[in-house]
Amino acid sequence: MHSHHLDTWELPAWALEVVEEWDDAEADDEARMQLAIDLASCNIAEGTGGPFGAAVFDRVSGRLVSIGVNAVVPSNCSHAHAEMMALARAQRDLGTYDLGTAGMEHELVTSCEPCAMCLGAVPWSGVRRVVCGATDDDARAIGFDEGDRAPDWQESLQSRGIEVVTSVCRAAARDVFQQYVDADGSIYNSRES
């Protein structure tokens, strides 16, 4: 039994400072992606989880609603991915399971294309736009098992009215994976044969 572990959706203490410092409602996709990448990089540097970061923004006001970092290992929870955390925290804080309900329009910005689990959560979350940094191939290249995703996943989301933008700041997002490898980060749950 561990003396302490994170609750599934609990942010590490350092992450709260990142949120407090963010005040750029005018930020473009690249600036928002840099926030997600910074979260992933800090998560490695602080030893608090895997190389993934995500954030939910209000598309109209540009307000940062929530953030998430990968917390699989410290929380002992396989679904504590950055996207899942960011979405769950946004829903909790806004008091709704539907981030696209009347009068709301939100987007998910994630440092890497979503794995099969996170991809499945996107339509149910209600977000209307997903912005991705590193690619599925980038994550697989360092050994992560991203699960079985349909090759036409982007078109599938778009057919549901969810805009998809990929490879935003891809090189910087991919660099975080190398940072993780250099830090001897755990490649957990990798069962690809």
Side-chain angles (χ1 to χ4, degrees), residues 81-160:
H81 286 200
E83 299 96 322
M84 300 293 278
M85 182 184 285
L87 292 169
R89 291 177 61 85
Q91 291 166 338
R92 182 197 66 196
D93 293 352
L94 295 171
T96 180
Y97 57 83
D98 184 356
L99 298 175
T101 194
M104 287 188 186
E105 190 172 335
H106 292 93
E107 68 180 13
L108 173 67
V109 177
T110 175
S111 66
C112 184
E113 290 176 358
C115 71
M117 175 182 65
C118 296
L119 179 60
V122 166
W124 310 138
S125 74
V127 295
R128 307 314 305 157
R129 186 168 190 256
V130 179
V131 181
C132 312
T135 67
D136 175 85
D137 287 341
D138 296 335
R140 290 179 194 271
I142 65 164
F144 278 106
D145 180 351
E146 296 297 280
D148 300 323
R149 299 184 324 159
D152 65 345
W153 67 273
Q154 295 177 46
E155 292 82 1
S156 177
L157 288 181
Q158 288 166 348
S159 73
R160 292 173 172 266

XYZ file of all heavy atoms in Angstrom, residues 81-160:
600
model
N -5.438 9.790 -18.162
C -4.707 10.431 -19.254
C -4.972 11.931 -19.202
O -5.975 12.381 -18.637
C -5.153 9.868 -20.602
C -4.647 8.489 -20.873
N -4.590 7.966 -22.145
C -4.173 7.523 -20.042
C -4.098 6.731 -22.088
N -3.843 6.440 -20.820
N -4.093 12.705 -19.819
C -4.200 14.170 -19.769
C -5.545 14.656 -20.297
O -6.189 15.521 -19.699
C -3.056 14.805 -20.558
N -5.987 14.092 -21.425
C -7.251 14.527 -22.016
C -8.425 14.193 -21.107
O -9.323 15.006 -20.928
C -7.478 13.852 -23.384
C -6.419 14.159 -24.413
C -5.334 13.096 -24.491
O -4.940 12.550 -23.433
O -4.869 12.802 -25.609
N -8.416 12.983 -20.547
C -9.507 12.559 -19.674
C -9.572 13.463 -18.441
O -10.659 13.845 -17.997
C -9.309 11.096 -19.248
C -9.264 10.123 -20.427
S -10.828 9.959 -21.305
C -11.658 8.790 -20.228
N -8.399 13.810 -17.913
C -8.352 14.675 -16.742
C -8.872 16.066 -17.091
O -9.682 16.636 -16.355
C -6.927 14.764 -16.191
C -6.833 15.628 -14.932
S -5.151 15.853 -14.311
C -4.837 14.253 -13.566
N -8.409 16.624 -18.196
C -8.843 17.970 -18.584
C -10.351 18.012 -18.821
O -11.034 18.937 -18.379
C -8.089 18.438 -19.832
N -10.887 17.005 -19.503
C -12.327 16.959 -19.772
C -13.119 16.788 -18.480
O -14.105 17.496 -18.252
C -12.651 15.825 -20.750
C -12.134 16.008 -22.178
C -12.292 14.710 -22.971
C -12.817 17.174 -22.875
N -12.700 15.857 -17.624
C -13.426 15.605 -16.373
C -13.402 16.830 -15.468
O -14.416 17.169 -14.844
C -12.820 14.397 -15.647
N -12.256 17.493 -15.395
C -12.158 18.673 -14.536
C -13.017 19.815 -15.086
O -13.646 20.544 -14.322
C -10.702 19.098 -14.382
C -9.875 18.098 -13.555
C -8.404 18.505 -13.461
N -8.275 19.790 -12.806
C -8.232 19.966 -11.490
N -8.300 18.924 -10.681
N -8.120 21.179 -10.965
N -13.067 19.968 -16.414
C -13.911 21.005 -17.012
C -15.378 20.723 -16.710
O -16.130 21.620 -16.317
C -13.676 21.079 -18.519
N -15.796 19.470 -16.883
C -17.186 19.106 -16.631
C -17.550 19.315 -15.169
O -18.619 19.849 -14.849
C -17.417 17.654 -17.066
C -17.343 17.499 -18.573
C -17.232 16.066 -19.034
O -16.817 15.180 -18.290
N -17.582 15.828 -20.285
N -16.655 18.918 -14.285
C -16.900 19.098 -12.846
C -17.010 20.586 -12.506
O -17.941 21.017 -11.838
C -15.766 18.463 -12.047
C -15.968 18.555 -10.534
C -14.695 18.301 -9.772
N -13.732 19.372 -10.039
C -12.431 19.300 -9.769
N -11.938 18.209 -9.242
N -11.640 20.315 -10.021
N -16.042 21.369 -12.992
C -16.001 22.786 -12.632
C -17.163 23.572 -13.227
O -17.637 24.540 -12.635
C -14.674 23.414 -13.060
C -13.487 22.853 -12.262
O -13.712 22.107 -11.283
O -12.342 23.155 -12.640
N -17.640 23.153 -14.414
C -18.751 23.848 -15.067
C -20.112 23.257 -14.670
O -21.149 23.813 -15.022
C -18.586 23.804 -16.585
C -17.362 24.559 -17.126
C -17.177 24.274 -18.612
C -17.490 26.053 -16.871
N -20.089 22.122 -13.994
C -21.331 21.507 -13.545
C -22.161 20.917 -14.662
O -23.393 20.936 -14.601
N -21.483 20.376 -15.685
C -22.206 19.743 -16.784
C -21.367 18.637 -17.404
O -20.144 18.762 -17.504
C -22.591 20.751 -17.887
O -23.287 20.058 -18.935
C -21.371 21.445 -18.477
N -22.015 17.556 -17.816
C -21.316 16.481 -18.516
C -21.177 16.791 -19.999
O -20.490 16.079 -20.720
C -22.046 15.142 -18.327
C -23.486 15.187 -18.778
C -23.820 15.014 -20.109
C -24.498 15.427 -17.861
C -25.148 15.084 -20.523
C -25.815 15.492 -18.259
C -26.134 15.316 -19.598
O -27.435 15.404 -20.005
N -21.857 17.848 -20.479
C -21.857 18.182 -21.900
C -21.220 19.548 -22.131
O -21.839 20.581 -21.902
C -23.297 18.167 -22.415
C -23.389 18.403 -23.918
O -22.353 18.654 -24.570
O -24.519 18.336 -24.439
N -19.976 19.534 -22.599
C -19.242 20.785 -22.829
C -19.677 21.484 -24.119
O -19.096 22.497 -24.493
C -17.733 20.504 -22.858
C -17.160 19.947 -21.547
C -15.695 19.580 -21.715
C -17.360 20.928 -20.401
N -20.709 20.945 -24.757
C -21.261 21.574 -25.952
C -22.736 21.886 -25.787
O -23.445 22.128 -26.762
N -23.200 21.891 -24.545
C -24.609 22.159 -24.275
C -24.948 23.609 -24.627
O -24.052 24.420 -24.870
C -24.943 21.854 -22.794
O -26.351 21.805 -22.635
C -24.348 22.875 -21.862
N -26.209 23.922 -24.649
C -26.672 25.251 -25.064
C -25.866 26.369 -24.405
O -25.716 26.384 -23.184
C -28.150 25.410 -24.730
N -25.360 27.259 -25.230
C -24.623 28.403 -24.717
C -23.161 28.123 -24.422
O -22.436 29.006 -23.971
N -22.708 26.888 -24.675
C -21.310 26.534 -24.426
C -20.664 26.005 -25.692
O -21.300 25.292 -26.464
C -21.191 25.422 -23.376
C -21.468 25.831 -21.974
S -21.025 24.433 -20.892
C -21.593 25.068 -19.330
N -19.424 26.368 -25.889
C -18.651 25.768 -26.970
C -17.202 25.689 -26.503
O -16.574 26.708 -26.241
C -18.757 26.590 -28.255
C -18.178 25.868 -29.440
C -18.425 26.572 -30.761
O -19.404 27.344 -30.859
O -17.639 26.348 -31.683
N -16.720 24.462 -26.349
C -15.376 24.244 -25.815
C -14.507 23.466 -26.784
O -15.013 22.764 -27.659
C -15.462 23.505 -24.472
C -16.057 24.335 -23.395
N -17.403 24.312 -23.113
C -15.512 25.241 -22.556
C -17.660 25.168 -22.138
N -16.525 25.739 -21.780
N -13.190 23.620 -26.579
C -12.243 22.863 -27.387
C -11.218 22.207 -26.479
O -10.913 22.707 -25.393
C -11.555 23.749 -28.413
C -10.605 24.791 -27.866
C -9.958 25.637 -28.962
O -10.413 25.592 -30.117
O -8.993 26.334 -28.641
N -10.712 21.079 -26.939
C -9.683 20.331 -26.243
C -8.381 20.513 -27.004
O -8.318 20.254 -28.207
C -10.057 18.848 -26.196
C -9.006 17.890 -25.641
C -8.776 18.132 -24.150
C -9.429 16.443 -25.896
N -7.355 20.975 -26.311
C -6.024 21.105 -26.896
C -5.145 20.082 -26.198
O -5.042 20.085 -24.972
C -5.467 22.535 -26.711
C -4.053 22.640 -27.268
C -6.388 23.551 -27.381
N -4.533 19.186 -26.968
C -3.775 18.097 -26.390
C -2.409 17.955 -27.046
O -2.286 18.106 -28.261
C -4.573 16.779 -26.444
O -3.760 15.709 -25.965
C -5.056 16.470 -27.851
N -1.396 17.693 -26.219
C -0.019 17.651 -26.716
C 0.231 16.486 -27.661
O 1.247 16.447 -28.349
C 0.972 17.611 -25.550
O 0.838 16.405 -24.823
N -0.687 15.530 -27.715
C -0.560 14.394 -28.634
C -1.946 13.985 -29.111
O -2.927 14.133 -28.380
C 0.104 13.216 -27.913
S 0.422 11.780 -28.971
N -2.019 13.456 -30.319
C -3.297 12.932 -30.791
C -3.845 11.942 -29.765
O -3.080 11.203 -29.141
C -3.112 12.213 -32.131
C -2.790 13.137 -33.278
C -2.512 12.399 -34.579
O -2.530 11.142 -34.594
O -2.264 13.083 -35.589
N -5.145 11.918 -29.565
C -5.712 11.053 -28.531
C -5.542 9.569 -28.827
O -5.641 9.140 -29.981
C -7.194 11.439 -28.505
C -7.446 12.162 -29.779
C -6.149 12.748 -30.225
N -5.290 8.797 -27.767
C -5.259 7.344 -27.874
C -6.693 6.858 -28.104
O -7.640 7.654 -28.103
C -4.683 6.736 -26.602
S -5.796 6.866 -25.174
N -6.859 5.560 -28.238
C -8.191 5.007 -28.494
C -9.190 5.388 -27.399
O -10.336 5.749 -27.691
C -8.100 3.483 -28.620
N -8.766 5.330 -26.135
C -9.666 5.661 -25.023
C -10.080 7.124 -25.071
O -11.268 7.456 -24.982
C -8.992 5.359 -23.683
C -9.808 5.775 -22.477
S -8.975 5.470 -20.915
C -7.576 6.580 -21.022
N -9.103 8.012 -25.187
C -9.398 9.445 -25.178
C -10.197 9.854 -26.411
O -11.081 10.710 -26.323
C -8.109 10.246 -25.057
S -7.259 9.954 -23.483
N -9.903 9.215 -27.525
C -10.657 9.474 -28.750
C -12.129 9.119 -28.533
O -13.027 9.867 -28.919
C -10.078 8.664 -29.907
C -10.767 8.814 -31.250
C -10.729 10.252 -31.731
C -10.120 7.883 -32.277
N -12.377 8.004 -27.855
C -13.747 7.597 -27.561
C -14.470 8.578 -26.661
O -15.689 8.749 -26.756
N -13.722 9.242 -25.792
C -14.330 10.184 -24.851
C -14.687 11.519 -25.494
O -15.544 12.243 -24.987
C -13.374 10.427 -23.679
N -14.035 11.856 -26.597
C -14.215 13.182 -27.203
C -15.666 13.471 -27.585
O -16.212 14.497 -27.157
C -13.253 13.393 -28.391
C -13.658 14.596 -29.232
C -11.824 13.565 -27.884
N -16.347 12.612 -28.358
C -17.728 12.949 -28.729
C -18.651 13.065 -27.516
O -19.524 13.932 -27.479
C -18.171 11.798 -29.620
C -16.929 11.131 -30.069
C -15.901 11.373 -29.000
N -18.466 12.190 -26.516
C -19.340 12.208 -25.352
C -19.099 13.433 -24.484
O -19.965 13.827 -23.712
C -19.155 10.944 -24.507
C -19.224 9.659 -25.283
C -18.414 8.590 -25.121
C -20.142 9.297 -26.318
N -18.762 7.590 -26.008
C -19.818 8.002 -26.757
C -21.210 9.956 -26.938
C -20.523 7.337 -27.763
C -21.904 9.305 -27.961
C -21.561 8.015 -28.346
N -17.918 14.032 -24.591
C -17.590 15.194 -23.754
C -18.332 16.452 -24.188
O -18.532 17.355 -23.387
C -16.090 15.470 -23.802
O -15.720 16.048 -25.052
N -18.673 16.516 -25.477
C -19.360 17.696 -25.994
C -18.448 18.754 -26.596
O -18.941 19.756 -27.103
N -17.114 18.548 -26.554
C -16.236 19.554 -27.163
C -16.510 19.635 -28.657
O -16.904 18.653 -29.288
C -14.730 19.295 -26.895
C -14.406 19.413 -25.418
C -14.276 17.968 -27.461
N -16.311 20.818 -29.217
C -16.613 21.037 -30.633
C -15.357 21.126 -31.498
O -15.436 21.261 -32.711
C -17.423 22.331 -30.824
C -18.673 22.451 -29.977
C -19.559 21.208 -29.952
N -19.970 20.745 -31.259
C -20.344 19.498 -31.541
N -20.351 18.574 -30.609
N -20.697 19.164 -32.765
N -14.194 21.052 -30.843
C -12.947 21.184 -31.598
C -11.851 20.475 -30.809
O -11.816 20.555 -29.585
C -12.610 22.658 -31.774
C -11.429 22.966 -32.662
C -11.419 24.486 -32.968
N -10.458 24.807 -33.986
C -9.267 25.375 -33.747
N -8.914 25.696 -32.505
N -8.448 25.637 -34.726
N -10.951 19.795 -31.539
C -9.802 19.132 -30.927
C -8.552 19.567 -31.680
O -8.497 19.482 -32.910
C -9.934 17.592 -30.990
C -8.713 16.925 -30.361
C -11.210 17.127 -30.318
N -7.564 20.051 -30.928
C -6.299 20.500 -31.505
C -5.200 19.611 -30.937
O -5.077 19.472 -29.722
C -6.021 21.982 -31.164
C -4.721 22.455 -31.797
C -7.192 22.861 -31.613
N -4.417 18.987 -31.823
C -3.418 17.999 -31.414
C -2.010 18.437 -31.813
O -1.820 19.055 -32.863
C -3.694 16.655 -32.088
S -5.404 16.088 -32.005
N -1.035 18.043 -30.988
C 0.365 18.353 -31.260
C 1.073 17.179 -31.922
O 1.016 16.997 -33.130
N 1.737 16.346 -31.114
C 2.429 15.169 -31.629
C 1.406 14.192 -32.212
O 0.221 14.246 -31.882
C 3.225 14.498 -30.508
N 1.892 13.299 -33.061
C 0.997 12.334 -33.695
C 1.006 10.999 -32.957
O 1.878 10.721 -32.128
C 1.404 12.079 -35.157
O 2.675 11.408 -35.159
C 1.493 13.382 -35.942
N 0.033 10.189 -33.294
C -0.061 8.820 -32.805
C 1.254 8.084 -33.081
O 1.786 7.392 -32.209
C -1.233 8.157 -33.536
C -1.389 6.689 -33.211
O -2.035 6.383 -32.202
O -0.875 5.857 -33.983
N 1.786 8.257 -34.274
C 3.052 7.600 -34.635
C 4.200 8.057 -33.740
O 5.079 7.266 -33.397
C 3.408 7.873 -36.099
C 2.524 7.103 -37.075
O 1.884 6.110 -36.657
O 2.475 7.502 -38.258
N 4.207 9.339 -33.365
C 5.255 9.857 -32.478
C 5.206 9.148 -31.121
O 6.245 8.797 -30.551
C 5.094 11.373 -32.259
C 5.275 12.183 -33.537
O 5.957 11.718 -34.466
O 4.707 13.300 -33.589
N 3.996 8.946 -30.592
C 3.848 8.272 -29.297
C 4.244 6.804 -29.404
O 4.924 6.266 -28.530
C 2.414 8.405 -28.791
N 3.832 6.162 -30.487
C 4.172 4.748 -30.679
C 5.682 4.570 -30.855
O 6.237 3.538 -30.468
C 3.431 4.187 -31.892
C 1.936 4.043 -31.671
C 1.238 3.500 -32.928
N -0.198 3.658 -32.857
C -1.042 2.772 -32.323
N -0.578 1.663 -31.782
N -2.342 2.996 -32.323
N 6.335 5.578 -31.426
C 7.773 5.479 -31.698
C 8.600 5.326 -30.429
O 9.693 4.749 -30.469
C 8.248 6.702 -32.493
N 8.086 5.816 -29.283
C 8.834 5.624 -28.041
C 8.254 4.463 -27.221
O 8.676 4.236 -26.096
C 8.917 6.913 -27.185
C 7.552 7.366 -26.672
C 9.639 8.012 -27.950
C 7.633 8.384 -25.535
N 7.288 3.757 -27.795
C 6.808 2.531 -27.170
C 5.429 2.561 -26.566
O 4.955 1.549 -26.048
N 4.740 3.713 -26.607
C 3.392 3.748 -26.046
C 2.413 3.012 -26.945
O 2.481 3.106 -28.170
C 2.919 5.195 -25.844
C 3.425 5.813 -24.574
C 4.431 6.753 -24.601
C 2.897 5.440 -23.341
C 4.913 7.313 -23.424
C 3.373 5.985 -22.159
C 4.382 6.925 -22.202
N 1.510 2.266 -26.330
C 0.444 1.563 -27.042
C -0.763 2.482 -27.063
O -1.395 2.717 -26.041
C 0.119 0.259 -26.306
C -0.988 -0.537 -26.976
O -1.639 -0.012 -27.911
O -1.224 -1.678 -26.550
N -1.072 3.019 -28.223
C -2.159 3.973 -28.346
C -3.511 3.315 -28.609
O -4.514 3.999 -28.746
C -1.839 4.984 -29.462
C -0.617 5.844 -29.161
C -0.829 6.717 -27.937
O -1.484 7.762 -28.050
O -0.340 6.350 -26.848
N -3.524 1.993 -28.697
C -4.775 1.276 -28.890
C -5.229 1.273 -30.335
O -4.567 1.798 -31.227
N -6.376 0.660 -30.558
C -6.912 0.518 -31.903
C -7.795 1.703 -32.254
O -8.888 1.840 -31.731
C -7.724 -0.781 -32.007
C -6.870 -2.006 -31.709
O -5.685 -2.000 -32.102
O -7.377 -2.946 -31.083
N -7.272 2.547 -33.136
C -8.039 3.710 -33.601
C -8.349 3.501 -35.075
O -7.496 3.038 -35.829
C -7.228 4.996 -33.453
C -6.816 5.327 -32.040
C -6.106 6.661 -31.950
N -5.278 6.913 -33.109
C -4.863 8.106 -33.498
N -5.189 9.179 -32.809
N -4.103 8.258 -34.559
N -9.544 3.869 -35.472
C -9.898 3.779 -36.887
C -9.001 4.731 -37.684
O -8.712 5.838 -37.223
C -11.363 4.151 -37.086
N -8.552 4.306 -38.853
C -7.690 5.178 -39.668
C -8.370 6.510 -40.021
O -7.697 7.519 -40.198
C -7.424 4.358 -40.931
C -7.723 2.941 -40.560
C -8.749 2.993 -39.474
N -9.696 6.499 -40.080
C -10.432 7.720 -40.464
C -10.994 8.442 -39.232
O -12.043 9.093 -39.303
C -11.559 7.372 -41.432
C -12.619 6.489 -40.792
O -12.361 5.902 -39.706
O -13.719 6.373 -41.366
N -10.286 8.375 -38.100
C -10.786 8.957 -36.851
C -11.088 10.443 -36.987
O -12.060 10.927 -36.407
C -9.826 8.687 -35.693
C -8.491 9.372 -35.779
C -7.375 8.909 -36.420
C -8.132 10.632 -35.213
N -6.346 9.817 -36.286
C -6.778 10.871 -35.553
C -8.819 11.577 -34.448
C -6.096 12.027 -35.162
C -8.137 12.734 -34.054
C -6.793 12.948 -34.411
N -10.268 11.158 -37.753
C -10.505 12.598 -37.903
C -11.814 12.860 -38.640
O -12.618 13.689 -38.221
C -9.344 13.259 -38.643
C -8.040 13.197 -37.865
C -6.881 13.788 -38.646
O -7.013 14.859 -39.226
N -5.752 13.109 -38.648
N -12.037 12.121 -39.723
C -13.273 12.276 -40.482
C -14.483 11.888 -39.637
O -15.545 12.498 -39.733
C -13.225 11.436 -41.768
C -12.230 11.928 -42.799
C -10.788 11.477 -42.538
O -10.531 10.736 -41.544
O -9.897 11.894 -43.313
N -14.306 10.862 -38.810
C -15.397 10.414 -37.942
C -15.804 11.527 -36.978
O -17.002 11.798 -36.802
C -14.955 9.166 -37.179
O -15.962 8.757 -36.296
N -14.820 12.181 -36.354
C -15.148 13.292 -35.457
C -15.781 14.437 -36.228
O -16.764 15.043 -35.779
C -13.896 13.779 -34.713
C -13.335 12.865 -33.629
C -12.111 13.505 -32.983
C -14.376 12.518 -32.574
N -15.221 14.738 -37.393
C -15.746 15.853 -38.186
C -17.183 15.591 -38.626
O -17.999 16.521 -38.680
C -14.821 16.127 -39.375
C -13.520 16.770 -38.905
C -12.400 16.787 -39.941
O -12.469 16.131 -40.974
N -11.346 17.527 -39.643
N -17.525 14.324 -38.878
C -18.902 13.996 -39.269
C -19.873 14.241 -38.110
O -21.070 14.375 -38.316
C -18.997 12.545 -39.736
O -18.897 11.654 -38.641
N -19.341 14.319 -36.894
C -20.143 14.619 -35.704
C -20.122 16.114 -35.388
O -20.597 16.528 -34.327
C -19.604 13.850 -34.496
C -19.800 12.344 -34.567
C -19.059 11.684 -33.393
N -19.341 10.276 -33.261
C -20.275 9.755 -32.471
N -21.044 10.535 -31.749
N -20.465 8.462 -32.403
